[in-house]
Amino acid sequence: MIMIKTLLTLLASLLLAEGVSISSRVRINGGPTMTRIAVGKAGIYAVGTDRKLYKVRGNTWTLIDGRNRYRDVAVAGDRIWSLGTNYWIYRSSDGYAKSGWEQIGGLLSQIEGDDTGSLWGVNMHDDIFRFREDHINWHHIGGKLRQLSNGYSGVWGVTGGGALFVRPGTYGSTVTWGHDWQHVGDGFKWVASGSQVFALRKDGHVLLRRGVSAENPKGTSWQNTGIPGRYNVVEAYKNLLVLLDTTGYSYFISVS
């Protein structure tokens, strides 16, 4: 958490419309190019193209596990979760991926967590699941999504065809399933729910969703962030964005 606060302090801001401030990009050094990233109070993690697991220390990727082969990683509360290349699901036994993994039943292709410890995921058939800690199992949620994100601004997801949806009743990172899905728009490939909602258009440009609230979970309009470059992945945590560009290089960006 101290590392994230330091990054936010160091990044100089550039004023955008409606009081939103986006800092200049800071590239994360070291390691290979990355395929997946996760950010939360336990830190910033990524899966490299070598299928190894990395964590940011300062502004450099540091290898933390080169023995296992990974597909995805998530931060949920104090725990680190991961997916193997065989889609098997694991969570860290000590909360910080230092002393091994505990296998959890099920198969997933993408996984996301938030500060409350809430965990959502989708499988290779685009089926949606939410983890129930009290029963240590997965609860199936209706609908189909290729990628999803759960954070303070609720649970959002993108279908294989690029349609963007939000799940009402999940705003505020409350530990709830919400209800139904509301269609927000089309032409997207990734979404990130944090203090604000950011989405990647199919061309890789970053948009900000305005007006998102508990009363209006889908928001009101899109704003072009002006962030240079084109991206495949964006993750949001509080006032921090971490992005992977189309070549796999990663960047910090501060938002306020």
Side-chain angles (χ1 to χ4, degrees), residues 99-117:
S99 63
W101 298 100
E102 170 193 5
Q103 185 175 354
I104 303 296
L107 298 171
L108 292 175
S109 58
Q110 190 248 335
I111 194 168
E112 280 275 340
D114 69 10
D115 270 1
T116 69

Side-chain angles (χ1 to χ4, degrees), residues 127-168:
D127 298 317
I128 307 162
F129 296 89
R130 179 181 179 272
F131 188 70
R132 296 184 57 177
E133 189 75 46
D134 54 341
H135 291 79
I136 314 181
N137 66 6
W138 296 92
H139 178 83
H140 179 252
I141 305 292
K144 293 280 188 180
L145 292 174
R146 182 67 49 85
Q147 180 264 332
L148 57 72
S149 177
N150 62 311
Y152 188 83
S153 295
V155 179
W156 292 66
V158 180
T159 69
L164 180 65
F165 288 87
V166 62
R167 193 160 182 89

Side-chain angles (χ1 to χ4, degrees), residues 57-105:
R57 301 188 190 281
N59 69 332
T60 302
W61 289 115
T62 301
L63 178 67
I64 62 170
D65 186 359
R67 296 172 301 170
N68 301 303
R69 291 178 58 79
Y70 294 90
R71 176 182 178 84
D72 201 4
V73 60
V75 180
D78 291 329
R79 286 188 179 272
I80 309 303
W81 291 69
S82 67
L83 303 179
T85 53
N86 55 6
Y87 303 98
W88 289 3
I89 307 162
Y90 300 91
R91 66 181 178 185
S92 59
S93 57
D94 66 352
Y96 289 88
K98 292 179 181 176
S99 63
W101 298 100
E102 170 193 5
Q103 185 175 354
I104 303 296

Side-chain angles (χ1 to χ4, degrees), residues 7-72:
L7 288 169
L8 296 179
T9 302
L10 293 175
L11 295 172
S13 293
L14 187 65
L15 187 63
L16 291 182
E18 301 183 47
V20 175
S21 181
I22 306 284
S23 76
S24 57
R25 301 185 307 173
V26 174
R27 182 170 163 181
I28 306 173
N29 301 313
T33 53
M34 302 297 174
T35 62
R36 295 287 179 87
I37 49 176
V39 56
K41 62 182 178 181
I44 302 172
Y45 292 80
V47 175
T49 50
D50 56 4
R51 295 302 177 186
K52 297 176 182 180
L53 188 62
Y54 294 82
K55 182 178 182 179
V56 169
R57 301 188 190 281
N59 69 332
T60 302
W61 289 115
T62 301
L63 178 67
I64 62 170
D65 186 359
R67 296 172 301 170
N68 301 303
R69 291 178 58 79
Y70 294 90
R71 176 182 178 84
D72 201 4

